[in-house]
Amino acid sequence: MGDITITPLEGKAFGATITGVDLRTLSDDEFATIHRAFLDYGLLVFPQQHLDEQASADFGRRFGELEFGGQPMANQKKHKDGSFGEIYDINTQLMRTNVGNETWHTDSTYKPIASKCAMLSAVIIPDEGGNTEFADMRSAYADLDEATKARIAGLSAYHSTNYSQANDLGDFPVSNGEGVYGTVYHGEAYLRPLVKIHPETGIPNLFVGRHAFGIPGLPRDESRALLKSLIDFVVSDERRVYAQEWVPGDTVIWDNRFVLHRARPYDYTKPRYLIGTRVAGDPASELAYYPEDPQAEAGRQALAAELEILRDEVRDRMYGATTAPR
Ligand SMILES: [Fe+2]
């Protein structure tokens, strides 16, 4: 491999493409360069890497402890022998969760410890659609007017994927305490500030997305309107939004602490298979609290009250994701 080349994404406030490196055989010097670029740009695109599950997890581990490594982000089953199998029916919880991720979010804000970063490696990509889009909440915060900065200073919102699935799709998954239902749809809600000071750069950024609801101290309609307006603001300028048009072999990594992302629709009867690895946040900066902590009760109650309202409110959008901005 030649020298690492970092090329900022053209016309964007964030993101860079990196070439001249093989992610499977990174030296410590090369990783230091990549890590610096990760903090500077927040989103790194590595073409032609063709990482498998193991290599994806190994690269993720360079950034920290994994939430999971080398897992399918897909609408298609992959057998143990490596062959691909059935395409999942759209009327499954797995596909409803996939469709939910077509609305702007950062990963794992609905868990006690939010994610540091995540990566996707493209294996099978449909001919049309299925992009992943990213949006920059760091330059968005810098571009906010002073009145809005003053208004949101000190405000927080609860984060829950029971909320986001209900709000975006009219989907009310019930936790069974295990697997994806237990770790994702668990009935807890975690309070996180709307303005985040990035733990490694010290730069403030907005911290919002589909999982956020119920700003304490604001009436429900004001909270909803404010959260929507902040997300709308982030994505209102094309300098802050980038669409990854996947080519098999691409690997992309992004900083979940200041970069939003969303999947884009495609023909769900066609296979789409990416390998995902997610790195946990540092508890010193990304821990809200644990379910057994006393302050968890307020989140649990806020979520239960919100879901009660949504059960009536979302009858018109059952599984349709009609609130997802297109
Ligand atoms: Fe995601």
Side-chain angles (χ1 to χ4, degrees):
M1 282 276 158
D3 289 342
I4 294 190
T5 303
I6 301 171
T7 309
L9 295 177
E10 202 181 330
K12 303 300 176 189
F14 73 126
T17 301
I18 299 195
T19 55
V21 68
D22 183 343
L23 296 180
R24 289 166 299 189
T25 57
L26 275 186
S27 69
D28 288 347
D29 279 355
E30 286 173 324
F31 179 70
T33 301
I34 288 171
H35 189 251
R36 186 67 246 167
F38 166 76
L39 294 178
D40 288 345
Y41 294 99
L43 166 73
L44 301 177
V45 180
F46 299 91
Q48 296 179 346
Q49 293 291 332
H50 296 280
L51 299 190
D52 63 10
E53 286 80 356
Q54 184 67 47
S56 172
D58 288 347
F59 181 46
R61 232 173 263 115
R62 308 284 300 238
F63 289 84
E65 195 176 317
L66 300 188
E67 284 186 35
F68 55 79
Q71 292 298 307
M73 299 284 147
N75 68 338
Q76 186 180 27
K77 193 177 179 69
K78 187 179 181 185
H79 300 298
K80 284 208 167 65
D81 66 6
S83 63
F84 292 95
E86 65 170 300
I87 291 178
Y88 300 118
D89 191 279
I90 190 70
N91 287 312
T92 56
Q93 188 61 59
L94 183 141
M95 286 305 293
R96 286 205 287 271
T97 298
N98 286 351
V99 171
N101 286 323
E102 293 174 4
T103 301
W104 293 109
H105 65 283
T106 71
D107 293 322
S108 300
T109 61
Y110 50 84
K111 296 182 182 177
I113 299 172
S115 165
K116 174 189 269 185
C117 60
M119 67 183 68
L120 288 171
S121 294
V123 180
I124 301 172
I125 296 300
D127 290 338
E128 283 182 63
N131 290 350
T132 303
E133 293 185 346
F134 299 90
D136 176 16
M137 293 190 281
R138 181 169 70 186
S139 65
Y141 181 78
D143 291 345
L144 277 181
D145 61 81
E146 292 305 318
T148 305
K149 282 184 183 170
R151 185 180 178 211
I152 64 177
L155 293 184
S156 295
Y158 289 109
H159 289 244
S160 158
T161 191
N162 289 93
Y163 164 76
S164 48
Q165 282 298 111
N167 188 55
D168 293 332
L169 281 82
D171 180 27
F172 294 84
V174 177
S175 171
N176 66 2
E178 306 177 350
V180 70
Y181 302 101
T183 57
V184 176
Y185 302 117
H186 43 53
E188 304 287 337
Y190 294 103
L191 195 62
R192 302 183 183 281
L194 298 192
V195 180
K196 183 177 185 62
I197 307 300
H198 193 285
E200 293 187 82
T201 67
I203 302 171
N205 58 264
L206 280 172
F207 199 67
V208 290
R210 65 183 290 249
H211 306 312
F213 75 102
I215 298 172
L218 292 193
R220 181 173 184 267
D221 54 349
E222 262 181 56
S223 170
R224 287 177 70 84
L226 177 57
L227 289 167
K228 181 175 187 309
S229 74
L230 292 173
I231 298 171
D232 287 349
F233 179 75
V234 176
V235 302
S236 65
D237 185 332
E238 64 181 32
R239 295 182 66 253
R240 296 195 285 263
V241 180
Y242 167 74
Q244 173 69 13
E245 298 178 21
W246 294 104
V247 174
D250 290 346
T251 286
V252 169
I253 183 165
W254 66 93
D255 190 334
N256 267 321
R257 298 165 299 186
F258 78 91
V259 176
L260 285 166
H261 63 283
R262 64 173 177 173
R264 303 302 289 141
Y266 58 102
D267 179 347
Y268 303 114
T269 66
K270 303 283 195 310
R272 181 178 187 269
Y273 201 100
L274 296 94
I275 297 169
T277 288
R278 191 179 297 172
V279 181
D282 180 348
S285 55
E286 307 314 317
L287 171 65
Y289 39 78
Y290 291 106
E292 55 271 29
D293 290 336
Q295 64 265 51
E297 182 57 27
R300 217 171 285 141
Q301 286 182 9
L303 176 59
E306 177 65 27
L307 291 177
E308 212 39 54
I309 297 170
L310 286 175
R311 274 182 204 284
D312 280 331
E313 221 173 68
V314 300
R315 287 185 198 283
D316 62 334
R317 73 190 80 139
M318 206 59 89
Y319 305 151
T322 53
T323 60
R326 296 293 180 200

